[in-house]
Amino acid sequence: MENNKNKLYYNGKILDADTEVRAFQTVYEVIRIKNGRPVFFHEHLERLRQSWYLSDRLKHRVYPDATHIAGIVEEIIKINGIKNQNVRIDLDINDLIVRPMPSYYPVDHCYAAGVDTVSMKYLRPTPNAKISNSLLYERANELMRIENVFEILLVNDENQILEGSRSNVFFVKDNDVFTTPTENVLSGVTRNAALKIFESMPNVVVHYDAVSLDDVYMYDCCFLTGTSIDLLPVRRIDSQILDSANNIHYMQALRLYRQLIG
């Protein structure tokens, strides 16, 4: 097919990427393309399938052919000549959309100093499924704009930090690493890679326990994980300052993760 830029796939058609296309309430994945190849491609496609069967709207429907979806992603990468950018897949009962996305990757200073966050009470209704959620998206973006922060940390009624609005969260204390139990959050692809890295480190113990917002001051480090951000240190949670970027376990995990994705 002719190699034109700024194209998307929509239900069997290749359209200009600025064409307005809509689906009702999709399950979706955002895949990072690095040096022209999808990062953790199989893992993202598998989570898309899992999200489908966790969705009340979709779980009794037949899941589309995964090989077909993968082929469309590869076609969109080729058509647009994508080297380093994100591609999003949206999947609904009658809709399949694959499109390149505006992509932001944190600059070196963010990894050297850390980023600022604030907390917000919010509990996602189906935490293990990646389902489009315009309410959370709008509330989080508005709070990020008002507070001038990088991310919003979602807190439950027990005041426990569960995850970010678009990321997973880890805490480190001495040789112990803490993250929310998997059944209570979206199990991110980057999160899973980070867990494997920590579990391979001698003397590091991983705990599946959510950290209370009241106890943040007790921890040496907090960092976020996500498709576009890798492992990103947190400098501030509300008013609490952390020296996360200089934590030895965090720095080692970031180095190993970057080696893993090339």
Side-chain angles (χ1 to χ4, degrees):
M1 185 172 288
E2 188 177 357
N3 187 20
N4 296 319
K5 290 186 179 298
N6 302 320
K7 298 292 183 181
L8 62 79
Y9 173 94
Y10 178 62
N11 293 344
K13 299 178 181 178
I14 300 296
L15 305 172
D16 290 339
D18 58 1
T19 304
E20 185 174 354
V21 293
R22 294 183 179 180
F24 173 62
Q25 186 184 51
T26 64
V27 294
Y28 74 99
E29 282 293 319
V30 176
I31 301 174
R32 183 171 182 173
I33 313 305
K34 187 171 184 180
N35 299 322
R37 64 177 184 85
V39 178
F40 297 124
F41 198 13
H42 171 76
E43 289 85 349
H44 279 288
L45 293 177
E46 175 57 23
R47 190 172 64 175
L48 185 68
R49 186 189 67 82
Q50 292 173 2
S51 294
W52 177 280
Y53 288 115
L54 288 168
S55 167
D56 288 336
R57 293 180 58 250
L58 303 175
K59 62 185 178 183
H60 298 300
R61 306 268 182 166
V62 176
Y63 184 71
D65 180 60
T67 303
H68 176 62
I69 297 172
I72 293 168
V73 173
E74 291 170 346
E75 183 179 19
I76 287 299
I77 293 170
K78 182 178 179 181
I79 289 172
N80 291 288
I82 296 173
K83 296 300 181 186
N84 294 284
Q85 190 178 355
N86 292 347
V87 169
R88 174 166 169 152
I89 308 168
D90 283 275
L91 192 59
D92 201 356
I93 294 170
N94 298 310
D95 295 302
L96 173 58
I97 307 167
V98 180
R99 52 190 155 184
M101 298 294 294
S103 307
Y104 168 75
Y105 305 114
V107 296
D108 289 345
H109 174 74
C110 294
Y111 295 95
V115 296
D116 293 347
T117 67
V118 294
S119 60
M120 178 178 79
K121 285 286 179 69
Y122 192 90
L123 198 61
R124 291 195 302 111
T126 312
N128 293 141
K130 198 171 180 69
I131 300 174
S132 58
N133 186 332
S134 59
L135 175 62
L136 173 59
Y137 179 82
E138 291 167 4
R139 285 184 58 183
N141 278 1
E142 178 67 7
L143 188 55
M144 281 188 278
R145 184 189 65 79
I146 293 170
E147 297 287 345
N148 190 29
V149 295
F150 182 85
E151 174 65 303
I152 305 301
L153 300 183
L154 306 183
V155 177
N156 65 12
D157 291 337
E158 287 73 46
N159 219 31
Q160 295 173 316
I161 300 171
L162 299 183
E163 58 190 332
S165 68
R166 50 184 176 161
S167 63
N168 290 116
V169 61
F170 287 77
F171 287 85
V172 181
K173 175 64 176 174
D174 299 325
N175 293 325
D176 295 304
V177 175
F178 299 83
T179 191
T180 310
T182 300
E183 61 268 23
N184 296 331
V185 296
L186 179 69
S187 186
V189 170
T190 308
R191 174 185 187 259
N192 291 339
L195 284 169
K196 289 179 181 178
I197 288 170
F198 281 117
E199 288 166 353
S200 72
M201 290 182 181
N203 303 321
V204 170
V205 180
V206 176
H207 304 268
Y208 290 89
D209 293 313
V211 168
S212 172
L213 187 61
D214 299 325
D215 296 336
V216 165
Y217 72 94
M218 299 171 55
Y219 291 84
D220 305 319
C221 168
C222 173
F223 66 91
L224 310 172
T225 62
T227 295
S228 298
I229 62 175
D230 298 344
L231 281 60
L232 185 65
V234 171
R235 188 190 76 90
R236 177 171 66 88
I237 301 173
D238 294 337
S239 61
Q240 180 64 46
I241 302 298
L242 297 167
D243 187 25
S244 300
N246 293 311
N247 180 265
I248 187 169
H249 295 312
Y250 161 74
M251 291 190 293
Q252 183 179 4
L254 177 63
R255 177 178 58 80
L256 293 173
Y257 178 80
R258 286 179 167 170
Q259 289 177 0
L260 179 65
I261 67 172

